[in-house]
């Protein structure tokens, strides 16, 4: 179960942006003492996948580090929002990759949070991303964000990065150039994001192509360290890890689909939405079908177990279903609206491979 205080993704940015004298002891090395920081998020770099391969990544392997914990669900939309807001999912409200919103006619629709789309199309017309996430990213400060230019202005970017300064890149070779420029301009904190590790894991699994991407990511880290002065710490972490599922894919049972009014979430963390008066029957059916390969919990049990870090207010509760299905085996549960069914690696559930991510830090090494 993810923790949401102390050594966690939710606690990372507040810890890094505190005065050096007030930073917590769980921050590694230079992250505790450097007057300025650059935070690089390598999407999908789970600790359990990186640690056995650390010889391939000599730069990251030489950095001081500790494992920390992601969020529930272990999905990019939720985890990045916890990083930028310093809040648990229960507090920021973006509690999944596909969640329920009111459609243009007021009826419930499932929205893909990364694309900000429902079956009715671009959801920005009826789900305002401004205010969808309650806490202000980075406390309302205009932190510079170095991320792919294609993401600028999207619904998700607006939701979890509003109020920041976008510094877009088209190719990852630009990341060190942009970061160095911002640091030389005097920025005290820079946030950078690169999604290549996650993308190749989805496409190709944890084989040779994944290893090659880790080598590239390590080169990116080395290039960043080379352009940062010694008084700036480079801090590297990830939003989640990966589970190689391959062809272990199960279509959701027709009886479950017939019992549920809606299905949201993703292939390793599903939500089933009950028809009126049928929540108990739906929970029993899902447990009967999937209890051997997944954790099956009602939304009340999820809230009581503090999966999302606290109590759910009515707005957040309405975005979730009645029965959660979180895979504990390397399996994916697909439903007709999923789209691409060929992903080799997936994430979203609460296994250690998905929850535990590295937190690494080192001072810049640019010569004076």
């Amino acid at each position: 179960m993810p923790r949401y205080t102390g050594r966690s993704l939710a606690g990372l940015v507040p810890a890094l942006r505190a005065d050096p004298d007030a930073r917590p002891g769980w921050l590694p090395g230079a992250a505790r003492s450097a007057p300025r920081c650059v935070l690089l998020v390598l999407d999908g770099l789970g600790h359990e996948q990186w640690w056995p391969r650390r010889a391939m990544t000599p730069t990251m392997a030489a950095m001081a580090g500790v494992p920390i914990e992601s969020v529930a669900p272990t999905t990019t939309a939720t985890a990045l929002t916890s990083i930028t807001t310093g809040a648990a999912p229960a507090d920021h409200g973006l509690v999944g990759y596909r969640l329920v919103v009111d459609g243009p006619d007021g009826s419930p629709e499932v929205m893909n949070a990364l694309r900000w789309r429902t079956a009715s199309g671009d959801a920005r017309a009826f789900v305002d991303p401004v205010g969808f996430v309650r806490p202000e990213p980075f406390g309302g400060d205009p932190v510079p964000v170095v991320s792919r230019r294609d993401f600028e202005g999207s619904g998700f970017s607006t939701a979890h990065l509003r109020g920041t300064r976008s510094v877009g890149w088209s190719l990852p070779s630009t990341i060190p150039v942009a970061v160095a420029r911002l640091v030389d301009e005097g920025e005290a904190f820079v946030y950078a994001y690169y999604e290549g590790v996650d993308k190749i894991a989805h496409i190709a699994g944890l084989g040779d192509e994944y290893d090659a991407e880790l080598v590239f990511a390590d080169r990116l880290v080395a290039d960043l360290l080379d352009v940062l002065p010694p008084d700036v710490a480079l801090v590297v972490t990830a939003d989640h890890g990966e589970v190689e599922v391959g062809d272990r894919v199960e279509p959701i049972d027709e009886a479950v689909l017939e019992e549920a009014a809606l299905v949201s979430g993703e292939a390793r963390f599903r939500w089933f939405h009950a028809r009126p008066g049928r929540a108990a029957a739906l929970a029993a059916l899902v447990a009967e079908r999937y209890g051997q390969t997944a954790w099956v919990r009602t939304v009340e049990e999820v809230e009581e177990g503090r999966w999302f870090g606290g109590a759910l207010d009515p707005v957040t509760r309405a975005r979730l279903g009645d029965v959660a299905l979180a895979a504990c085996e390397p399996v994916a549960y697909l439903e007709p609206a999923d789209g691409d069914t060929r992903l080799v690696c997936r994430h979203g559930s609460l296994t250690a491979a998905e929850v535990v991510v590295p937190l690494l830090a080192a001072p810049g090494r640019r010569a004076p």
Side-chain angles (χ1 to χ4, degrees):
M1 189 60 60
R3 78 180 82 191
Y4 294 105
T5 57
R7 199 171 71 184
S8 67
L9 279 188
L12 179 57
V13 165
L16 292 175
R17 300 189 71 215
D19 290 336
D21 292 342
R23 290 179 191 163
W26 54 266
L27 287 175
R32 289 196 302 271
S33 58
R36 298 190 289 164
C37 292
V38 173
L39 174 61
L40 172 66
V41 176
L42 296 176
D43 194 318
L45 183 67
H47 180 78
E48 287 199 358
Q49 298 89 61
W50 169 68
W51 186 253
R53 297 172 172 85
R54 63 193 183 279
M56 301 176 183
T57 61
T59 302
M60 288 192 286
M63 299 170 77
V66 294
I68 64 171
E69 294 166 19
S70 183
V71 301
T74 48
T75 199
T76 297
T78 305
L80 292 188
T81 305
S82 281
I83 292 173
T84 63
T85 64
D91 296 323
H92 64 61
L94 212 166
V95 284
Y97 169 57
R98 295 171 68 244
L99 36 74
V100 170
V101 298
D102 289 335
D105 63 356
S107 60
E109 295 187 0
V110 177
M111 183 181 76
N112 181 314
L114 291 183
R115 295 177 175 84
W116 218 261
R117 294 184 67 84
T118 73
S120 295
D122 188 341
R124 287 177 294 183
F126 49 91
V127 180
D128 188 356
V130 176
F132 192 90
V133 169
R134 290 183 293 275
E136 290 284 340
F138 303 109
D141 294 335
V143 165
V145 173
V146 181
S147 186
R148 186 178 290 277
R149 186 169 283 110
D150 297 349
F151 300 154
E152 292 180 5
S154 70
F156 175 59
S157 291
T158 301
H160 85 291
L161 293 173
R162 69 182 187 275
T164 62
R165 292 169 46 213
S166 179
V167 182
W169 54 265
S170 298
L171 293 171
S173 56
T174 305
I175 296 174
V177 177
V179 168
R181 184 180 299 125
L182 290 164
V183 167
D184 288 346
E185 290 171 355
E187 294 290 344
F189 184 86
V190 177
Y191 175 74
Y193 171 78
Y194 173 67
E195 79 282 11
V197 177
D198 181 65
K199 185 173 291 186
I200 200 64
H202 284 315
I203 294 170
L206 302 177
D208 293 345
E209 293 173 59
Y210 179 84
D211 293 348
E213 179 60 24
L214 287 190
V215 171
F216 176 82
D218 194 64
R219 182 68 257 172
L220 173 60
V221 171
D223 288 347
L224 281 164
L225 286 171
D226 286 344
V227 300
L228 296 178
D231 67 334
V232 178
L234 177 63
V235 181
V236 179
T237 193
D239 52 350
H240 56 74
E242 307 280 352
V243 171
E244 188 161 325
V245 172
D247 59 3
R248 288 163 290 190
V249 172
E250 297 182 20
I252 296 172
D253 191 284
E254 285 294 333
V256 175
L257 291 176
E258 290 174 4
E259 183 69 47
L262 285 173
V263 181
S264 61
E266 57 194 291
R268 287 186 55 79
F269 196 118
R270 287 287 175 206
W271 281 105
F272 298 102
H273 302 247
R275 302 181 190 281
R278 299 293 296 171
L282 179 60
L285 180 59
V286 174
E288 176 189 340
R289 294 291 196 273
Y290 302 110
Q292 299 302 309
T293 57
W295 296 290
V296 178
R297 301 288 187 273
T298 65
V299 67
E300 292 81 12
E301 290 170 329
V302 167
E303 185 171 17
E304 183 179 350
R306 299 180 65 83
W307 285 29
F308 297 114
L312 302 173
D313 65 51
V315 173
T316 303
R317 168 64 186 89
R319 295 171 181 172
L320 301 172
D322 299 287
V323 181
L325 174 70
C328 59
E329 297 292 330
V331 64
Y333 306 105
L334 297 188
E335 59 109 359
D338 268 335
D340 192 348
T341 62
R342 299 166 296 174
L343 302 184
V344 182
C345 281
R346 296 178 182 267
H347 49 82
S349 192
L350 300 179
T351 66
E354 294 157 289
V355 170
V356 184
V357 296
L359 177 64
L360 312 171
R365 55 195 187 194
R366 184 176 77 191

